[in-house]
């Protein structure tokens, strides 16, 4: 990434060299061609280097925090894939007892699970449920201890593997590539035990979308939708489709979920309507490379992005909006 960025910036500096004011038209034209003979190969070097980096990340599932930036640069080059898209921050799901205790309520569920552990302290299911309740109390480190206890009792317990991954991703933030890759290993392990363990498949697909590995995430979303079609899976697939350049199919899925409330694949309820970041950012991204409603695409893109509340964004969401805003403002000029 740094090598490609250096080449791209060097090309910009070359193009910015001003011609001597004494040059006549023919000489000025030759001067410009000479500059291009230097800057164009530099830009091609940047493009191929970024393309190689992205291809290696996809092939080896490398979750690097520079991946979204690499993807943005490739989208600028119109390299084909990835196109401009970004998965949302968070939005991971736990397996097992709801963190709020479900219909029992947190207090009753906590007492029941504690009593159960007194009777059977070697139950991985009870330890996982206890971890969920601790998570619901805002105690992620204690929740992690409970999940690790469950895995000590049953090393390949899918629910505990999935929930431990959620804790790792949420504790320090998804942008920490060490924790993100550890979480990815846990999710993959859960799926090796149960190849259609829905929470792990949903979480892994969401993680791939967040790091813009859209070819990986699309496969997972397609698999999830076979048994758990719904709003969240449709929106996840929509992000992946836009990232793969299938913009019409992506736009149709976004439009299909402008309201309503339903449960995710794990049974966790979500608020009504598609998250504003998903709708607005991807609408702006589509507008940036095509005419929109008779207006200039870059102008339309900038108008949409200005309506997004940056304070509500986290991690790669925020950097994606800031980058595209800067580019659209530049293209307007």
């Amino acid at each position: 990434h740094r090598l490609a960025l250096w080449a791209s910036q060097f090309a910009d500096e070359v193009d910015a060299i001003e011609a001597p004011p004494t040059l006549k038209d023919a000489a000025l034209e030759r001067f410009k061609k000479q500059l291009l003979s230097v800057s164009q190969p530099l830009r091609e070097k940047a493009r191929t280097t970024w393309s190689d980096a992205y291809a290696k990340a996809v092939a080896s599932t490398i979750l690097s925090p520079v991946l979204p930036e690499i993807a943005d640069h490739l989208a600028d080059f119109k390299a084909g894939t990835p196109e401009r898209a970004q998965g949302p921050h968070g939005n991971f799901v736990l397996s097992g007892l709801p963190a709020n205790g479900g219909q029992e309520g947190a207090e009753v569920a906590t007492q029941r699970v504690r009593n159960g552990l007194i009777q059977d302290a070697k139950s991985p299911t009870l330890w996982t449920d206890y971890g969920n309740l601790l998570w619901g109390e805002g105690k992620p480190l204690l929740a992690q201890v409970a999940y690790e206890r469950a895995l000590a009792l049953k090393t390949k317990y899918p629910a505990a593997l999935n929930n431990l991954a959620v804790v790792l991703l949420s504790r320090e933030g998804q942008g920490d590539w060490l924790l993100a890759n550890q979480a990815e290993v846990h999710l993959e392990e859960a799926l090796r035990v149960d190849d259609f363990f829905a929470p792990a498949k949903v979480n892994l697909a969401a993680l791939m979308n967040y790091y813009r590995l859209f070819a990986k995430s699309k496969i997972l979303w397609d698999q999830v939708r076979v048994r758990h079609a719904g709003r969240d899976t449709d929106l996840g697939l929509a992000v992946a489709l836009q990232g793969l350049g299938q913009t019409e199919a992506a736009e149709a899925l976004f439009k299909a979920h402008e309201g309503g409330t339903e449960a995710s694949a794990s049974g966790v309820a979500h608020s009504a309507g598609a998250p504003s970041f998903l709708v607005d950012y991807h609408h702006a991204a589509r507008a940036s490379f095509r005419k929109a409603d008779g207006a200039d695409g870059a102008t339309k893109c900038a108008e949409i992005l200005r309506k997004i509340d940056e304070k509500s964004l986290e991690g790669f969401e925020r950097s994606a909006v800031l980058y595209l805003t800067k580019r659209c403002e530049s293209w307007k000029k």
Side-chain angles (χ1 to χ4, degrees):
H1 169 60
R2 290 177 180 175
L3 176 61
L5 193 61
W6 173 85
S8 178
Q9 291 171 342
F10 192 6
D12 290 341
E13 291 173 5
V14 170
D15 285 343
I17 296 174
E18 295 185 0
T22 57
L23 292 184
K24 302 298 182 183
D25 289 346
L28 181 60
E29 189 65 25
R30 287 196 300 273
F31 179 83
K32 290 180 179 179
K33 287 182 178 180
Q34 288 173 343
L35 292 183
L36 286 174
S37 71
V38 177
S39 65
Q40 285 182 339
L42 283 169
R43 285 200 175 85
E44 179 59 19
K45 175 64 175 176
R47 185 192 66 78
T48 57
T49 303
W50 274 318
S51 293
D52 288 346
Y54 185 79
K56 289 177 180 178
V58 172
S60 301
T61 317
I62 299 172
L63 305 181
S64 167
V66 299
L67 265 177
E69 189 175 349
I70 290 172
D72 271 327
H73 287 299
L74 288 172
D76 290 344
F77 275 108
K78 298 181 180 179
T81 55
E83 290 282 5
R84 192 105 47 201
Q86 174 61 56
H89 185 274
N91 208 31
F92 299 112
V93 294
L94 294 173
S95 174
L97 183 68
N100 62 3
Q103 294 182 348
E104 294 177 279
E107 185 175 349
V108 173
T110 299
Q111 189 61 50
R112 176 181 61 78
V113 171
R114 284 177 175 170
N115 289 339
L117 286 171
I118 291 172
Q119 299 297 319
D120 182 9
K122 294 185 178 181
S123 168
T125 300
L126 287 173
W127 277 110
T128 300
D129 287 345
Y130 190 43
N132 292 0
L133 292 166
L134 290 168
W135 174 267
E137 293 176 12
K139 300 175 181 177
L141 292 179
L142 290 177
Q144 180 175 341
V145 171
Y147 299 141
E148 289 173 345
R149 177 60 179 163
L151 290 170
L153 294 166
K154 187 175 181 180
T155 56
K156 295 184 178 182
Y157 186 48
L161 287 165
N162 174 80
N163 295 3
L164 181 56
V166 172
V167 169
L168 291 175
L169 291 169
S170 304
R171 191 183 72 202
E172 300 290 344
Q174 294 161 246
D176 184 319
W177 71 334
L178 176 61
L179 292 177
N181 280 282
Q182 287 177 347
E184 188 267 337
V185 169
H186 291 318
L187 294 172
E188 293 279 11
E189 182 64 24
L191 291 172
R192 275 192 287 271
V193 177
D194 180 351
D195 64 357
F196 213 101
F197 188 65
K201 199 170 285 283
V202 167
N203 289 334
L204 187 58
L207 185 60
M208 295 299 105
N209 267 359
Y210 190 65
Y211 277 87
R212 303 201 192 185
L213 300 181
F214 302 118
K216 298 270 188 178
S217 64
K218 182 182 180 300
I219 294 171
L220 294 164
W221 289 122
D222 282 338
Q223 292 172 351
V224 171
R225 290 176 82 239
V226 172
R227 300 184 187 178
H228 301 282
R231 190 197 70 137
D232 289 340
T233 51
D234 281 358
L235 291 175
L237 179 60
V239 173
L241 288 172
Q242 181 155 324
L244 293 172
Q246 301 175 40
T247 54
E248 291 185 4
E251 188 171 10
L253 283 173
F254 281 125
K255 286 184 176 180
H257 294 280
E258 294 178 349
T261 304
E262 61 182 36
S264 69
S266 70
V268 178
H270 289 261
S271 58
S276 60
F277 166 77
L278 285 178
V279 174
D280 294 338
Y281 174 80
H282 292 90
H283 185 190
R286 292 192 298 274
S288 71
F289 55 78
R290 72 182 186 197
K291 298 295 181 180
D293 301 326
D296 175 75
T299 300
K300 184 72 172 179
C301 168
E303 289 175 354
I304 296 168
L305 293 174
R306 279 195 294 269
K307 298 176 183 178
I308 298 177
D309 179 12
E310 289 183 14
K311 295 180 181 178
S312 67
L313 305 178
E314 296 184 65
F316 298 161
E317 290 179 343
R318 182 178 176 82
S319 59
V321 169
L322 292 176
Y323 184 91
L324 185 55
T325 299
K326 182 178 179 180
R327 298 304 293 159
C328 287
E329 292 292 347
S330 173
W331 293 330
K332 280 169 58 180
K333 301 174 183 179

